Amino acid sequence: MQPSEKLLLYNKAWVQDKLELDTTYFSDLAADQKPNFLWIGCSDSRVPANEITGTDPGEMFVHRNIANLVVPDDLNVLSVVQYAVEVLQVQHVIVCGHYECGGVKAAMSGKKLGLIDNWLSNISRAQAKHQAKLDQIPDPQARFDRMVELNVQEQILHLADTASVRNMWASHQIPSLHGWVFNLRTGLLNEVITLTPPGATQSPGPVLAQSRH
């Protein structure tokens, strides 16, 4: 049996399990989506958004790319952000990076890898911005971890500067922006930065539980 065939068999078993618990599960799922969260995460196979947050299908709108970047001229991520915040009106946007990120590691190495270098240059610019702080961290692993956190921080700042977020902040006081890092060594989510709409007294709506180191 081919590995892909195993996935199809697992899908059939998953469908059966869901229907045994709720016969209307898929008809309800097909009716509409009203997610409370937009998740912008890394494409890394070790960071499954729904599984590590305990969310079900329909609760989280998801976009993934290498190193969880929000690039100001990337129409893909900007389209996702616009649809999520203006049409779906999600209450929270989460940018989630992870320690041991291959994209961040590759950017920090300075090695030429080909086409992907164009994408990783966005991380290299963030590194250059914070190089003085990074140089003060003698341990290579700690420096790598800190760059992962700083990368998430930079993406949150990029998000806050998008027209979609600025417009929704002015008109609806949503969404709140959350920068998290997933710790592969512990399984925990660590908060790096949170930005709320200007003038908001508190983050609107529920926020997924997160834990620190």
Side-chain angles (χ1 to χ4, degrees):
M1 180 181 295
Q2 296 296 319
S4 59
E5 294 176 314
K6 292 182 180 179
L7 297 182
L8 294 174
L9 287 176
Y10 176 83
N11 169 253
K12 292 179 180 179
W14 174 74
V15 169
Q16 188 61 39
D17 288 343
K18 290 295 184 183
L19 291 176
E20 287 178 0
L21 293 173
D22 182 1
T23 57
T24 65
Y25 180 85
F26 292 105
S27 58
D28 292 342
L29 193 65
D32 196 7
Q33 66 164 332
K34 296 181 180 178
N36 200 37
F37 308 97
L38 165 60
W39 174 282
I40 300 175
C42 183
S43 299
D44 194 295
S45 60
R46 299 168 293 178
V47 192
N50 291 100
E51 186 170 349
I52 66 175
T53 58
T55 51
D56 291 323
E59 293 187 80
M60 183 177 287
F61 200 61
V62 176
H63 174 79
R64 298 174 70 174
N65 60 49
I66 293 174
N68 43 270
L69 300 184
V70 179
V71 180
D73 60 357
D74 176 31
L75 293 180
N76 190 346
V77 69
L78 292 181
S79 298
V80 169
V81 170
Q82 181 185 22
Y83 185 75
V85 303
E86 295 184 16
V87 179
L88 298 176
Q89 296 192 6
V90 297
Q91 300 286 304
H92 303 273
V93 180
I94 300 161
V95 174
C96 187
H98 65 96
Y99 298 125
E100 308 303 331
C101 178
V104 173
K105 185 175 184 179
M108 293 182 74
S109 74
K111 296 179 180 178
K112 298 299 182 182
L113 301 174
L115 180 63
I116 197 174
D117 293 338
N118 297 284
W119 186 254
L120 298 180
S121 65
N122 295 286
I123 305 174
S124 299
R125 284 192 289 272
Q127 180 183 355
K129 178 180 176 180
H130 297 282
Q131 194 61 59
K133 296 178 182 178
L134 292 168
D135 288 341
Q136 296 176 10
I137 304 175
D139 179 65
Q141 183 64 55
R143 192 183 312 119
F144 179 18
D145 287 351
R146 184 54 181 154
M147 186 58 223
V148 167
E149 296 167 353
L150 290 169
N151 181 51
V152 167
Q153 177 179 297
E154 289 298 308
Q155 308 320 309
I156 289 293
L157 297 178
H158 291 166
L159 259 178
D161 198 40
T162 61
S164 298
V165 169
R166 291 200 310 270
N167 291 339
M168 290 301 289
W169 275 1
S171 62
H172 290 72
Q173 288 287 287
I174 58 172
S176 292
L177 310 181
H178 309 272
W180 294 352
V181 172
F182 179 59
N183 192 332
L184 290 166
R185 307 161 203 142
T186 66
L188 297 176
L189 288 163
N190 307 312
E191 185 177 29
V192 173
I193 181 175
T194 297
L195 294 182
T196 55
T201 56
Q202 61 182 5
S203 298
V207 181
L208 295 173
Q210 68 258 26
S211 303
R212 297 183 181 276
H213 289 286

